[in-house]
């Protein structure tokens, strides 16, 4: 399906984050997969469609002569290494952006202006006069590289690239341009904090179609256009602008459910979990509560740790009855708010352990291992409760991965349970999911996932307790319903919509029409 969708039209994907990064390890370049929903979702797709993927080369070994002297490298790595992998693969074209530009464009405008605004966080918004010119310049460079690949179709990703579509449109009026916005879009009342609201919207209106995870984000976008772009006309059929019709659509991103389920049953998953159990001397009888996050203030990790502290203060009989495991990944460390957030998370974990820990019980662990997706699935599958408590999140794939990793109700689960290591996780009851109401995934996963308001600490604590105490039949019932939702909106469903939109097929409807 994927290979044929675009016929012989050439595809260029453009994103800020690259799908694979080369970093030096013991003096040698080694390839790694960055944490983040966008690259996880897209890599498999572009491996099938082929084409060019333009992204910022952020790794310290990205331009090593042994890796990619001109900044271009064939991906995914297994497609190069394994001739049996007959997927076409793609060319990763890395942009070598100067440090100053990255500071002001990525650490500046993208992540200190747009990211907090889209996530309805006014406090971290920092406006610096150097940010906007750098954002323009970076977008110009991304656009130039995309045009150089002579594309018929360009697929832009996310909020780092708000101006690039307009730049490409000026040079390639004939190309089809589509953008997927992976984070929420705020209401006009919030978006007006953005000093460049109108220019940014004009940049995005260079596209033929702009996609969002949810209808309400698409509605907000259309409301913002109506308010801030006087020469655009918002109609039921789309947005009339500059002699063209720009469509908006909603399409919730999902995960590759079979792959995650297979990962969770793999020997690598079991081995990794065994290593964690050994390293931290975990009692196999003690339930595990799990958090997996990029350490971003939008993820509500601090609120979660406060809820756990509250739980132990108000319900002392729970002492020793569970272990909280935080799998963290540092992120955007060039921004002071992120460095402070990392410290706040570590401090709160240390405080939990200091106040509530005993000689034989450490209430909370922090793990920062670089894990691959099978090892991560090992954590998911061995957790009795997962807590996703974002203050705001466009979708949140961690929640969906956790569900897919629980495995049992998937059709081939019985078969795989007879294979491989003797892994008790394969037979255990599914985990329970505690999920913030403020993530896109809550729309389809709640109330089968236990909904929480992460700001309401005592109710949040009670919900974690409910999840810990949930009986096996209820776990199975809820998980069956969660898995049906996650399968119904999986990565293939998302991809099918994106391919229709990229190909300009009829199925795109204005978000208001449904
Ligand atoms: P975001 O896109 O904001 O990072 P998502 O939850 O949508 O959030 O996607 C995060 C992706 O990155 C998931 O695929 C998840 O597996 C991975 N990820 C997130 N946090 C970690 C972590 N601490 N360690 C390893 N992988 C992580
Ligand atoms: O999904 C939202 C997103 O911002 C992606 O665009 C991005 O790749 C991911 O989160 C991780 O953030 P970053 O690329 O800044 O590390």
């Amino acid at each position: 399906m994927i290979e044929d969708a675009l016929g012989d039209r050439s595809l260029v994907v453009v994103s800020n984050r690259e799908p694979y990064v080369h970093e030096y390890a013991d003096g040698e370049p080694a390839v790694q997969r960055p944490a983040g929903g966008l690259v996880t979702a897209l890599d498999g797709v572009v491996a099938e469609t082929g084409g060019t993927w333009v992204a910022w080369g952020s790794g310290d070994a990205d331009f090593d002569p042994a890796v990619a002297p001109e900044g271009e490298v064939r991906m995914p790595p297994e497609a190069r290494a394994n001739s049996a992998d007959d997927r076409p693969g793609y060319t990763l074209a890395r942009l070598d952006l100067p440090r100053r530009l990255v500071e002001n464009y990525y650490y500046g405008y993208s992540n200190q202006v747009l990211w907090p605004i889209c996530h309805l966080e006014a406090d971290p918004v920092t406006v610096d006069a150097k940010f906007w010119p750098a954002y323009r310049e970076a977008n110009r460079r991304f656009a130039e590289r995309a045009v150089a690949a002579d594309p018929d179709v360009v697929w832009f990703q996310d909020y780092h690239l708000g101006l690039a579509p307009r730049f490409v449109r000026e040079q390639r009026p004939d190309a089809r341009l589509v953008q997927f916005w992976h984070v929420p879009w705020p209401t006009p009342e919030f978006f007006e904090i953005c000093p460049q609201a109108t220019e940014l919207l004009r940049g995005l209106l260079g596209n033929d179609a702009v996609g969002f995870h949810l209808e309400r984000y698409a509605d907000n976008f259309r409301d913002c256009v109506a308010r801030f772009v006087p020469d655009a006309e918002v109609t039921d059929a789309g947005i009339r602008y500059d002699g063209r019709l720009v469509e908006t659509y909603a399409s919730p991103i999902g995960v590759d459910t079979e792959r995650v389920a297979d990962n969770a049953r793999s020997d690598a998953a079991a081995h990794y979990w065994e290593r964690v159990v050994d390293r931290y001397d975990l009692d196999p009888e003690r339930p595990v509560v799990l958090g997996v996050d990029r350490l971003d203030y939008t993820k509500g990790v601090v609120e979660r740790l406060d809820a756990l502290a509250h739980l132990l203060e108000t319900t002392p009989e729970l002492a020793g009855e569970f272990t909280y495991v935080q799998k963290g990944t540092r992120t955007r460390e060039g921004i002071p708010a992120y460095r402070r957030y990392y410290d706040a998370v570590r401090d709160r974990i240390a405080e939990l352990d200091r106040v509530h820990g005993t000689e034989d019980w450490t209430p909370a662990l922090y793990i920062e291992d670089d894990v691959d997706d099978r090892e991560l699935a090992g954590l998911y599958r061995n957790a009795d409760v997962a807590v996703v408590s974002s203050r705001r999140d466009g979708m949140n794939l961690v929640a969906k991965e956790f569900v897919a990793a629980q495995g049992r109700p998937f059709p081939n689960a019985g078969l795989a349970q007879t294979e491989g290591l003797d892994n008790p996780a394969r037979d255990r009851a599914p985990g329970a999911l505690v999920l913030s109401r403020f993530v896109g995934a809550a729309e389809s996963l709640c109330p089968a996932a236990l909904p929480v308001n992460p700001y309401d600490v005592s109710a949040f604590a009670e919900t974690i307790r409910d999840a810990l105490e949930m009986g096996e039949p209820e776990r199975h019932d809820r998980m069956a319903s969660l898995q049906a939702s996650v399968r119904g909106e999986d990565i293939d469903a998302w991809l099918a919509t994106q391919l229709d939109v990229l190909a300009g097929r009829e199925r795109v409807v204005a978000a208001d029409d449904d």
Side-chain angles (χ1 to χ4, degrees), residues 285-314:
E285 298 303 314
R286 196 175 264 148
V288 168
V289 178
L290 176 71
V292 173
D293 308 85
R294 271 192 313 108
L295 294 184
D296 190 303
Y297 53 82
T298 60
K299 300 289 179 187
V301 183
V302 161
E303 287 77 359
R304 190 186 310 156
L305 292 165
D306 287 349
L308 286 166
H310 186 83
L311 181 63
L312 290 170
E313 276 151 27
T314 54

Side-chain angles (χ1 to χ4, degrees), residues 305-349:
L305 292 165
D306 287 349
L308 286 166
H310 186 83
L311 181 63
L312 290 170
E313 276 151 27
T314 54
T315 326
E317 61 273 23
L318 277 181
E321 296 299 314
F322 67 89
T323 304
Y324 176 67
V325 175
Q326 175 67 54
K327 171 69 186 78
T329 301
R330 298 181 198 215
T331 180
R332 305 177 190 168
E333 290 182 283
I335 300 174
Y338 283 80
R339 295 199 294 273
R340 286 197 298 272
Y341 197 70
Y342 174 78
D343 291 343
V345 168
R346 299 304 304 262
D347 287 352
R348 278 198 171 54
I349 289 178

Side-chain angles (χ1 to χ4, degrees), residues 58 117 138 265 458 485:
S58 60
I117 288 177
R265 292 191 291 263
S458 57
S485 307

Side-chain angles (χ1 to χ4, degrees), residues 446-465:
C446 290
L450 300 179
V452 285
N453 173 349
Y455 297 91
D456 183 353
V457 70
S458 57
F460 188 176
E462 258 172 53
T463 309
I464 295 175
R465 194 186 60 204

